[in-house]
Amino acid sequence: MFAYVGSRTTRERHARGDGISVFRRDPATGALDLVQVHGDLVNPSFLALNRAATRLYAVRGDGEDMSAFAVDPATGGIRLLGRQSTGGRNPVHLALDSSERFIVVSNHLTSSLAVLPLSEDGVPQPLAQRVPLAGEPGPHRKEQPFAKPHFNPFDPSGRFVVVPDKGVDRVFSFRFDNGRLTPAAKPEALAREGAGPRHLAFHPVRPWAYAINELDSTVTAYAFDPRDGALQPFQVVSALSDRFTGNSRASEIEVHPAGHVLYASNRGEDSIAVMSVDPATGRLALVQTMPSGGTTPRFFAVAPEGRWLYVLNEDSDAIVLLRVEQGTGRLIGTGQAWRCGSPVCMVFSRTPMTAGG
């Protein structure tokens, strides 16, 4: 089993990364063993694998393009297949549609989504659709000057794309049909002023979605209607410990594969929040804030088997391993960490979750 880590690389980002790192991963112990670093890449800052783990895709943060790589199934090693313009500046996220014939990208600094077709061998083709996003900017003078989409996951059915937008305090919803995005029947859900929605995670089996709000370090819970893509908020909860009184920015969010807990990362408090998910209502309750073991946990990832959580501490150049307690989902330190310059994204070749995670 393999894990792929994207790192920031540029001096403008004060980065120390080398590109994309490939690790062999032991699901039993969580241990990582470096097998390749694919260098000569500029800010491969978000990654996606196809289901067969034969193709890896990366956006080039602060740039204007994305890249595709072939994956060797035996060694996990990658080689460049091609690159393509995303039709905008600073692409920050990408997601494959269920047919794996298209890829959707968020262009953060030019307020747009891009749809790119993929060739039969998985190479991105020229832009097929560009969708501008707009709205009243939020009150934060530096972070909210205009629409700034940051994430564009597909819903579990693959029929909708949901887009948290940090700049205009909205979560947009689009129908996706045969490579085209069109606004959903209820095309947006408003967040609190100054919240700054950043990323979003769907519950694995229930019609709930959870957005992490970067600027006020909260999580908003939404009821998601799989018939029309509508989002209806029903709860907001802080991702910070009530003992923390400093400045912090939230970043990543993920629901455990078993659906009983949710995790969120805080840059400033440098922690991973653990929240229980009520199985009947979807409401959240903060049960733990676990130190991230480093500085600026921009990203984290729960391993597919549900037993391990890897924290990517961007400013202390380390991937820290935490153990997920079976049953409760609480996090336990392991003392294990691996050096990696400016890590910002991690994806896995998929394996089934073990029972009781």
Side-chain angles (χ1 to χ4, degrees), residues 120-144:
E120 289 189 2
D121 58 356
V123 177
Q125 303 301 295
L127 186 72
Q129 185 186 18
R130 181 179 177 274
V131 180
L133 300 177
E136 182 69 25
H140 196 295
R141 289 184 295 176
K142 179 179 179 181
E143 295 289 349
Q144 297 183 304

Side-chain angles (χ1 to χ4, degrees), residues 70-355:
V71 180
D72 186 315
T75 67
I78 61 175
R79 61 178 176 84
L80 184 66
L81 286 176
R83 56 192 296 178
Q84 187 61 251
S85 170
T86 65
R89 288 179 51 217
N90 193 18
V92 291
H93 184 248
L94 73 172
L96 282 161
D97 83 309
S98 59
S99 74
E100 299 191 343
R101 296 187 296 120
F102 301 95
I103 200 157
V104 181
V105 179
S106 292
N107 288 314
H108 189 59
L109 290 183
T110 45
S111 309
S112 66
L113 301 177
V115 180
L116 288 79
L118 299 175
S119 67
E120 289 189 2
D121 58 356
V123 177
Q125 303 301 295
L127 186 72
Q129 185 186 18
R130 181 179 177 274
V131 180
L133 300 177
E136 182 69 25
H140 196 295
R141 289 184 295 176
K142 179 179 179 181
E143 295 289 349
Q144 297 183 304
F146 43 74
K148 298 173 79 173
H150 213 296
F151 207 60
N152 54 260
F154 284 85
D155 81 303
S157 76
R159 296 187 298 120
F160 296 96
V161 174
V162 178
V163 185
D165 192 300
K166 187 173 86 171
V168 296
D169 289 327
R170 285 166 170 79
V171 181
F172 294 100
S173 185
F174 292 89
R175 184 177 291 276
F176 187 83
D177 184 30
N178 196 30
R180 298 289 296 180
L181 291 166
T182 55
K186 295 182 179 178
E188 60 185 55
L190 296 180
R192 285 178 176 171
E193 285 189 357
R198 176 183 172 92
H199 285 189
L200 180 142
F202 286 95
H203 192 275
V205 294
R206 298 299 301 273
W208 304 320
Y210 301 93
I212 187 76
N213 300 309
E214 176 179 337
L215 300 181
D216 69 359
S217 297
T218 62
V219 175
T220 304
Y222 295 89
F224 177 76
D225 191 330
R227 299 167 299 179
D228 61 11
L231 291 157
Q232 180 63 44
F234 62 85
Q235 184 190 20
V236 177
V237 61
S238 176
L240 296 169
S241 163
D242 62 7
R243 299 181 303 276
F244 181 78
T245 60
N247 295 317
S248 195
R249 295 283 182 89
S251 54
E252 178 60 348
I253 189 167
E254 188 171 342
V255 180
H256 188 277
H260 61 319
V261 288
L262 174 149
Y263 303 102
S265 63
N266 298 300
R267 299 169 294 176
E269 186 182 41
D270 291 339
S271 68
I272 306 297
V274 183
M275 301 183 187
S276 64
V277 180
D278 186 295
T281 66
R283 289 180 63 84
L284 304 173
L286 183 67
V287 297
Q288 182 188 20
T289 50
M290 178 72 182
S292 70
T295 307
T296 317
R298 182 183 180 90
F299 192 83
F300 65 86
V302 179
E305 66 275 6
R307 297 172 57 186
W308 310 104
L309 185 146
Y310 297 84
V311 186
L312 279 62
N313 288 299
E314 181 180 9
D315 288 335
S316 54
D317 301 327
I319 301 170
V320 172
L321 181 67
L322 302 176
R323 181 166 65 85
V324 178
E325 184 177 63
Q326 293 193 13
T328 70
R330 292 172 67 93
L331 298 174
I332 301 168
T334 68
Q336 295 189 74
W338 296 268
R339 180 168 177 77
C340 184
S342 304
V344 293
C345 184
M346 187 178 204
V347 295
F348 307 100
S349 55
R350 309 303 288 181
T351 56
M353 187 189 72
T354 57

